[in-house]
Amino acid sequence: MSQEQDVQRLTDTMAKFTAYIGKHLPTDVEAKLKELREKETKPLAKAVFMSMAENQEAAARLDRPSCQDTGMIQYFITAGAKFPLLGELEEILREATLEATRKAPLRHNTVETFDEKNTGTNTGTRSPWLDWEIVPGDDGATIDVYMAGGGCTLPGAATVLMPGQGYEGVADFVFDVISSRGVNACPPLLVGVGVSTAAETAARLSKKALMRPVDSHAHHPNAAKMEDLLEEGLNELGIGPQGLSGTASVMGVNIESSARHPSTIGVAVSTGCWAHRRGRIRINADLSYEIVSHQGAVL
Ligand code: SF4
């Protein structure tokens, strides 16, 4: 195959996968929603969970996006330095976004900042948004596709705490964000928390935390413990599905961290909504692929 044919092949795969993500929730999110639905005892909250399940079933049956807001498309790329189409990947993902927008179809959400004009294509300046990590020696690529809806993006916040505020300060910040603005993001939420030096490093980590499966834990045992404590505490707020009160406020809390400057604690929160549309695909060097996030998915 020529390189041109390879580019076309990967563009097709990524366009189909991007469109698929808009219509099907990942296996871990579906399982968590089922668990919360079965555990819920309040009739109104239970009814909301039931209508979420019916919505998902209808989206799959009718081959339509599961929420009107198909979001801004973001790709989180972990690419091997030896991946054969590394240099072409940016253009491939741009084309894939255009194609998915036409074929799914996806709502046109991309507005050029300062022009205040919708491009009508879901592409624009730095859109789709690409986040890169390069892995030396690897010849494949793992790509997370994320649809950043308006509501689920709205609560996002970052700050830098004084060192004396400690981990209690981190917990306070998370509670402030979720209790004041979490309801905008169609709960139950997946809460991503980044802890790092600065606002921007914490913010990036908080978003990457949303790419981790629900019910997964951070590597560090103290971070894992904090995830459990935050989840328990946030559920005690009783926000419930769609903010109408209920047993669960969140699907879970995922924390990602980095080493940091001793004088600062950067902390950020990103939120994913109940319709947390993200998907992970592993592309091999020969461009065969495996869909990691959605069991039994066929493109
Ligand atoms: S928060 Fe999620 S479910 Fe709610 S409108 Fe936005 S994308 Fe849709």
Side-chain angles (χ1 to χ4, degrees):
M1 264 202 194
S2 66
Q3 195 189 49
E4 204 177 315
Q5 287 170 313
D6 282 348
V7 165
Q8 191 53 52
R9 185 174 163 202
L10 187 54
T11 304
D12 287 348
T13 302
M14 289 311 301
K16 284 183 187 153
F17 189 55
T18 302
Y20 186 90
I21 297 311
K23 300 170 183 176
H24 305 268
L25 292 184
T27 305
D28 63 317
V29 172
E30 284 211 322
K32 191 68 188 185
L33 288 172
K34 182 169 185 280
E35 180 194 316
L36 296 179
R37 182 168 73 242
E38 287 170 355
K39 265 195 208 155
E40 185 57 70
T41 52
K42 299 195 170 149
L44 178 58
K46 196 145 186 120
V48 175
F49 275 125
M50 294 299 291
S51 82
M52 288 170 173
E54 283 164 23
N55 180 81
Q56 281 316 113
E57 184 278 319
R61 178 166 38 85
L62 301 169
D63 192 29
R64 288 184 194 161
S66 58
C67 178
Q68 37 77 36
D69 186 356
T70 50
M72 294 290 283
I73 312 299
Q74 302 184 326
Y75 294 102
F76 293 81
I77 304 152
T78 308
K82 296 183 179 168
F83 183 60
L85 295 180
L86 191 60
E88 287 71 30
L89 207 44
E90 181 169 350
E91 192 50 31
I92 285 170
L93 294 174
R94 186 180 170 83
E95 282 298 318
T97 300
L98 286 168
E99 192 67 8
T101 299
R102 276 195 297 268
K103 289 207 168 143
L106 305 178
R107 194 176 80 178
H108 302 160
N109 287 315
T110 302
V111 172
E112 282 293 0
T113 304
F114 293 116
D115 291 338
E116 292 306 306
K117 280 212 172 85
N118 194 315
T119 63
T121 62
N122 277 333
T123 63
T125 307
R126 294 182 175 142
S127 183
W129 183 266
L130 306 187
D131 178 285
W132 291 92
E133 277 188 41
I134 303 295
V135 185
D138 191 6
D139 62 0
T142 300
I143 302 176
D144 287 308
V145 183
Y146 180 62
M147 295 191 168
C152 51
T153 304
L154 204 55
T159 192
V160 181
L161 304 175
M162 298 294 278
Q165 289 177 269
Y167 294 98
E168 293 83 354
V170 171
D172 281 350
F173 184 74
V174 174
F175 271 79
D176 282 351
V177 170
I178 300 302
S179 60
S180 60
R181 303 182 72 178
V183 74
N184 291 297
C186 293
L189 310 173
L190 181 59
V191 180
V193 180
V195 184
S196 184
T197 290
E200 92 283 5
T201 53
R204 180 172 182 240
L205 290 172
S206 72
K207 198 56 171 289
K208 286 179 82 72
L210 293 183
M211 302 305 124
R212 259 181 42 208
V214 176
D215 282 340
S216 63
H217 274 103
H219 292 305
H220 196 290
N222 289 345
K225 188 173 172 193
M226 192 170 192
E227 289 175 338
D228 287 343
L229 290 172
L230 286 171
E231 178 177 343
E232 200 183 315
L234 289 171
N235 279 336
E236 280 176 17
L237 295 178
I239 295 172
Q242 294 293 7
L244 295 169
S245 82
T247 310
S249 309
V250 299
M251 293 192 280
V253 178
N254 289 352
I255 300 177
E256 287 291 310
S257 61
S258 73
R260 46 167 243 281
H261 192 288
S263 304
T264 67
I265 305 175
V267 54
V269 173
S270 292
T271 46
C273 58
W274 75 266
H276 186 47
R277 285 145 305 155
R278 60 137 156 70
R280 176 168 296 179
I281 189 167
R282 168 77 186 172
I283 314 279
N284 302 312
D286 64 0
L287 304 188
S288 61
Y289 62 85
E290 179 202 353
I291 296 173
V292 181
S293 52
H294 293 65
Q295 249 171 36
V298 179
L299 298 183

